[in-house]
Amino acid sequence: MAAEQEGATGGWFGESEHISRLPGKVFAAVCLSATLFGIVMVAGLLVYVTKDAIRPFTANPGWFLVFFLTLVLPSVAALGYYSRRGDGEATVALTALGIPFFGLLLGSGVLLLFIDVLSVVEWFAFVVAAVVAGGVIVGHRRLRAGASFVEEFVVGAASLVVLAPLTFEFVSTFPTVPQAWLIYLFTFGLSGAVVGGLIVARRRNDQRAGAIAAGALFAVVTAGVFIDPSTGITPQIWVILFTFAGMPTALYVEAVVRSRQRRPLGLLFPLIVVAGMLLGAVLVDLLGFAGPEAWLDFQFLTNANSRFPEEAGIYPALIGSVMMMVVVAVSSFPIGVGAALYLEEYAPNDGPLGVLVRFIEINISNLAGVPSVVYGLLGLALFVNWLNFASGIVVVGGMTVGLLILPIIIISAQEAIRAVPSSLRQASYGMGATRWQTIRRVVLPEALPGILTGSILAFGRAIGETAPLLMIGAAASVFQPPDGFFDIFSAMPRQIYAWVGQPAYEFQYGVMAAGVVTLITVMLSMNAAAILIRNKYQRRS
Amino acid sequence: MTQQTSKGTDGVSRRKFLVGAGTAGVVGIAGCTTNPGASSGNSGGNGSSDNGNSGSGDLSGEVIIKGSSTVYPVSEAMAEEFMKEHDVNVSVDSTGSGGGFQNHFCPGNADINGASRPIKDSEKQLCSENGVKPVEFQVASDALTVAVNNNADWVDCLSFEQLSQIWRPDGAQKWSDINSEWPDKEFELYGPASSSGTFDWFIDNVIQDADAIRDDYEPTEDDNRIIQGIEGSKYAMGFFGYAYYEENKNNVKAVQIKENADGSCTEPSIENAKNGDYPMARPLFIYAAQSSLEEKEQVYAFMEYYLKQAETDIVSRIGYVPSSAELRDENLSKLEQYSSN
């Protein structure tokens, strides 16, 4: 309308800018302020909680000064220099710092798992069982190359369902098994070296280079076993940490050095950071500057709960949360994606059955909005009272929270599958592919990044859920991490809830804040890992 | 798949090589074997919790405690100390006395239930329907504390009669209804929810002539919320266990209590509760399932430890009155009847 009127007066649309652009500008400003409001509120809350958890003001000013000079200033300066050069050095620097860091985190997680949950004998039995089952399947394919799908399926199912558990039971009764470090060396170390070799071989398109790389990695991990244990690095710790942190770092360094022969300066960045940390620590010690009396410190992460705030820790709840998330992922992800695939690809669209399907879909959407406490009651009724599981065990908690996020996974997976262009399906059918082949090779790989995005959000919600855990009877105080999936457990949000109810002020503010920061950190690193996996698939497709 | 055609002598020799290398590897590894005992493998494989684990003591397994939020700190402390000596997994939860009996203990999902009041007949009934026989032990006493805002300078002492006027249904609405010299302002009341044993005790002992509390107060299972409510308003009042008052002595003001108009005003404290001067001292209990005591060694051992330690400083440091030496001996001899050995 405006354009026509202006056209009638002879002017061009947009010539008198303020008339046509003002509403747009206002709208943009409103959107911006809404975004900023959300971000500032959440960030403010996080800063407040972190302040309570770290208590920065209890530290000596000299402590801050020393670390500012040794750590913050050099690393910021280095980063600034890299980004000024503008040829990707900054990315290299951050990746070179991030890979060993996340590798160490992951390795420590695996170590914790072996210290508290899995015994090395069980791990050994598990590996042997997997090798046996895998060997049978591969051997069968070799011997009977033209076997029908049904035969392959039967052999695969039999070896996985019957042979593997039998082997597991058999091996776990062995009177002698290899030393723990040998088991780790030949499971983690060897497979890590093989994966590294394969990566190098693919990257350079050179089988020999791959073999050399694998051999070198395995030689290093084997040699490291002979480090004197009195340094605190026992063979077990070395093997696992090197596999998870050392090998990816070595591969990354190799890639950078090879691809940019000019100046791999970014690789110096982790050295700057680590040297700054060490130097700062030594100087602080020499000068006698006290650091902050943080609630969130190493002993908080490794201690069990206690009635004394200074000794209280989150360790059993942390392990409980991680194990619960394993159950959540195993129980909800396959079912959710399967349901979404059926509803989108197989379910009838029209006729009376189509109406039924639509009715089911509407109900699933509604279920996503049901309050979590209702799912807690459902879990209590279904798993504890009806299926007679003990209350408050890991499996019950995980399956209850899994039910809670199942509708979210289904809906997001459905959206992702629907977003795959139907021209891809038509092309696949045109090539003569069956529906199953089309779904497996075209639709699913194309939809996977979207499915993972939705699932990651759902898992992030799952780890923070408290109400279902209260309902199924996850205890407020557990002093030992669960030994297996049928043990009683407590999870981090449940533990935080218990701390808030304590009479002592230190629990309600300090210890609780440390717990919140730990929970958020675990959640963010889980999400980061999942996003990395998603990006990998995205690039491939 | 396309390479399948070339399986001939090459494949066989490769397989032979694999077998040979594998055998050599196994022989080599055999030198470095350890013998952790097949039993540890068993215990993991079954996934069951109560065998294997030859840790520091000879006990193992789980002890599950639910129940009163008032007793929770005591049970938590006992669990923490007990687990320093024994490899038993004790879990403590605070569900309220009634909530614990109703949802966990009587259905047979808990070994021990804390209670800040004696078990009710209806709960006994529910337990016996499920074949659970509760065994009662008094472990400590609490000085139930009535608190007001720090700025409420007009009130220092209240009698049971006055408390009853305030808290019973259709009772007083304003402070001036109790005493004409007090402000002409409405009460702001905070108290425990109906699943709490404190709630039941208050009805039975303070509001004697009615069987309910007024319904226009702020009920909560979280005692810290009560304290925050009192801190926030000059005309507020609430009641909770003494342990919570002791942690918040600077934030709220405890009211002295007299049993009747001509009794003497007594302030809540561990000493006054111990020597019987404080009229709102109440016993705290734990109930153990008889079958758990008889069948689970670790539950019996934990109860023995609990009852012995209930007489020590652990309890008074939390803010409750420890049981007397006589009560402890009485409890222990009661416990002995259920010993399996």
Side-chain angles (χ1 to χ4, degrees), chain A residues 477-497:
Chain A
S477 257
V478 174
F479 298 91
Q480 282 178 359
D483 261 339
F485 291 101
F486 290 89
D487 267 20
I488 48 176
F489 82 118
S490 184
M492 285 190 282
R494 178 73 188 90
Q495 183 69 68
I496 292 168
Y497 185 76

Side-chain angles (χ1 to χ4, degrees), chain A residues 328-342 402-403 406 409-410 413:
Chain A
V328 170
V330 167
S331 65
S332 65
F333 187 71
I335 297 180
V337 175
L341 272 178
Y342 178 78
L403 273 183
L406 191 57
I409 293 182
I410 296 179

Side-chain angles (χ1 to χ4, degrees), chain A residues 462-483:
Chain A
I463 198 172
E465 277 299 341
T466 320
L469 299 181
L470 285 173
M471 286 294 131
I472 58 118
S477 257
V478 174
F479 298 91
Q480 282 178 359
D483 261 339

Side-chain angles (χ1 to χ4, degrees), chain A residues 122 142 172-173 175-179 182 305-307 473-477 479-480 488 494 500-504 508, chain B residues 4 7 29 32-35 38 41 44 49 62 66 72 76-77 79-81 83 87 89-93 224 244 247:
Chain A
E122 283 174 285
R142 283 248 167 143
S172 33
T173 58
T176 58
V177 294
Q179 293 274 5
L182 260 177
N305 188 22
S306 166
R307 64 187 189 282
S477 257
F479 298 91
Q480 282 178 359
I488 48 176
R494 178 73 188 90
V500 176
Q502 289 275 346
Q508 291 170 47
Chain B
Q4 293 286 315
K7 62 168 182 184
I29 290 172
C32 318
T33 51
T34 174
N35 190 350
S49 49
E62 293 171 345
K66 304 279 179 184
Y72 167 77
E76 192 198 19
E80 190 181 344
E81 293 300 320
M83 285 177 64
D87 196 13
N89 195 3
V90 187
S91 75
V92 193
D93 201 359
N224 289 315
Y244 282 84
E247 287 289 341

Side-chain angles (χ1 to χ4, degrees), chain A residues 77-281:
Chain A
L79 262 189
Y81 171 71
Y82 292 142
S83 40
R84 269 182 68 94
R85 284 167 49 90
D87 51 358
E89 286 291 356
T91 321
V92 171
L94 288 178
T95 320
L97 181 70
I99 287 182
F101 178 73
F102 272 101
L104 280 179
L105 212 63
L106 194 65
S108 318
V110 171
L111 272 176
L112 287 183
L113 207 66
F114 275 99
I115 291 169
D116 263 314
V117 183
L118 276 172
S119 75
V120 69
V121 180
E122 283 174 285
W123 169 245
F124 179 64
F126 176 77
V127 171
V128 172
V131 166
V132 167
V136 167
I137 295 174
V138 171
H140 171 257
R141 280 205 182 148
R142 283 248 167 143
L143 290 176
R144 291 180 50 86
S148 68
F149 171 75
V150 176
E151 188 184 323
E152 271 192 20
F153 183 78
V154 167
V155 169
S159 49
L160 286 181
V161 178
V162 180
L163 200 55
L166 277 181
T167 322
F168 184 89
E169 285 296 318
F170 177 62
V171 174
S172 33
T173 58
F174 271 11
T176 58
V177 294
Q179 293 274 5
W181 65 268
L182 260 177
I183 295 178
Y184 291 153
L185 185 65
F186 278 93
T187 52
F188 287 109
L190 187 60
S191 43
V194 167
V195 169
L198 286 176
I199 290 175
V200 170
R202 206 181 61 193
R203 207 186 271 156
R204 300 199 191 174
N205 209 1
D206 182 355
Q207 293 285 341
R208 210 168 138 260
I212 292 174
L217 284 175
F218 191 65
V220 173
V221 72
T222 312
V225 163
F226 299 103
I227 297 177
D228 187 8
S230 64
T231 53
I233 304 176
T234 62
Q236 286 96 314
I237 295 179
W238 162 261
V239 169
I240 288 187
L241 288 190
F242 183 76
T243 308
F244 283 97
M247 287 190 185
T249 314
L251 288 174
Y252 183 73
V253 168
E254 194 261 0
V256 170
V257 171
R258 249 180 72 84
S259 65
R260 23 178 91 243
Q261 286 94 346
R262 292 167 299 147
R263 293 166 59 174
L265 267 181
L267 295 178
L268 289 178
F269 186 65
L271 299 182
I272 297 175
V273 172
V274 172
M277 275 184 197
L278 291 180
L279 185 65

Side-chain angles (χ1 to χ4, degrees), chain B residues 137-203:
Chain B
F137 299 96
Q138 187 193 330
V139 285
S141 310
D142 172 32
L144 190 72
T145 302
V146 175
V148 293
N149 191 277
N150 277 338
N151 299 323
D153 47 8
W154 59 90
V155 53
D156 288 312
C157 182
L158 287 168
S159 68
F160 273 24
E161 175 54 31
Q162 286 170 321
L163 281 173
S164 171
Q165 269 181 28
I166 298 170
W167 283 93
R168 73 177 166 227
D170 316 316
Q173 291 300 320
K174 294 175 176 176
W175 283 97
S176 54
D177 293 347
I178 307 286
N179 185 332
S180 52
E181 290 165 21
W182 291 352
D184 185 22
K185 297 281 185 184
E186 285 202 10
F187 293 114
E188 219 173 284
L189 297 175
Y190 297 87
S194 60
S195 58
S196 157
T198 313
F199 174 95
D200 296 325
W201 190 92
F202 199 81
I203 290 180

Side-chain angles (χ1 to χ4, degrees), chain B residues 55-341:
Chain B
S56 48
D58 49 351
L59 293 167
S60 63
E62 293 171 345
V63 180
I64 299 175
I65 309 173
K66 304 279 179 184
S68 164
S69 61
T70 316
V71 187
Y72 167 77
V74 184
S75 301
E76 192 198 19
M78 296 298 177
E80 190 181 344
E81 293 300 320
F82 183 70
M83 285 177 64
K84 284 178 183 163
E85 294 167 26
H86 299 281
D87 196 13
V88 174
N89 195 3
V90 187
S91 75
V92 193
D93 201 359
S94 124
T95 59
S97 310
F101 280 126
Q102 195 76 31
N103 300 328
H104 301 283
F105 184 77
C106 288
N109 293 332
D111 299 312
I112 297 169
N113 199 61
S116 53
R117 54 158 173 80
I119 188 169
K120 290 179 185 170
D121 286 340
S122 60
E123 289 161 349
K124 274 185 190 158
Q125 175 77 21
L126 178 68
C127 279
S128 70
E129 279 168 17
N130 291 300
V132 175
K133 193 170 174 295
V135 184
E136 180 185 278
F137 299 96
Q138 187 193 330
V139 285
S141 310
D142 172 32
L144 190 72
T145 302
V146 175
V148 293
N149 191 277
N150 277 338
N151 299 323
D153 47 8
W154 59 90
V155 53
D156 288 312
C157 182
L158 287 168
S159 68
F160 273 24
E161 175 54 31
Q162 286 170 321
L163 281 173
S164 171
Q165 269 181 28
I166 298 170
W167 283 93
R168 73 177 166 227
D170 316 316
Q173 291 300 320
K174 294 175 176 176
W175 283 97
S176 54
D177 293 347
I178 307 286
N179 185 332
S180 52
E181 290 165 21
W182 291 352
D184 185 22
K185 297 281 185 184
E186 285 202 10
F187 293 114
E188 219 173 284
L189 297 175
Y190 297 87
S194 60
S195 58
S196 157
T198 313
F199 174 95
D200 296 325
W201 190 92
F202 199 81
I203 290 180
D204 288 349
N205 295 278
V206 180
I207 314 177
Q208 286 136 343
D209 48 349
D211 54 357
I213 288 185
R214 59 193 292 167
D215 50 15
D216 54 346
Y217 77 108
E218 196 68 45
T220 169
E221 258 300 306
D222 182 353
D223 294 336
N224 289 315
R225 296 286 96 78
I226 301 179
I227 287 168
Q228 284 165 8
I230 297 171
E231 263 187 278
S233 164
K234 194 176 175 185
Y235 305 102
M237 167 188 264
F239 61 95
F240 38 78
Y242 181 75
Y244 282 84
Y245 170 65
E246 201 171 60
E247 287 289 341
N248 292 281
K249 273 185 169 158
N250 299 325
N251 304 329
V252 295
K253 172 174 142 186
V255 180
Q256 298 184 349
I257 302 291
K258 53 184 175 183
E259 196 157 359
N260 44 47
D262 35 79
S264 61
C265 292
T266 316
E267 63 169 8
S269 71
I270 293 186
E271 294 75 48
N272 287 342
K274 202 174 195 170
N275 59 30
D277 289 344
Y278 187 65
M280 274 169 62
R282 57 171 177 159
L284 302 178
F285 303 93
I286 53 174
Y287 288 84
Q290 190 185 336
S291 56
S292 292
L293 285 179
E294 285 170 351
E295 287 155 24
K296 299 183 188 167
E297 219 180 332
Q298 74 272 17
V299 176
Y300 185 86
F302 177 71
M303 280 299 293
E304 198 174 12
Y305 183 86
Y306 199 138
L307 296 175
K308 276 183 188 160
Q309 299 296 318
E311 192 252 345
T312 64
D313 286 0
I314 294 183
V315 176
S316 52
R317 265 188 225 138
I318 294 166
Y320 296 125
V321 184
S323 61
S324 62
E326 295 154 35
L327 185 58
R328 178 197 62 190
D329 295 340
E330 198 180 303
N331 279 335
L332 285 172
S333 63
K334 191 179 192 179
L335 180 70
E336 241 164 61
Q337 298 166 21
Y338 303 101
S339 164
S340 53
N341 356 325

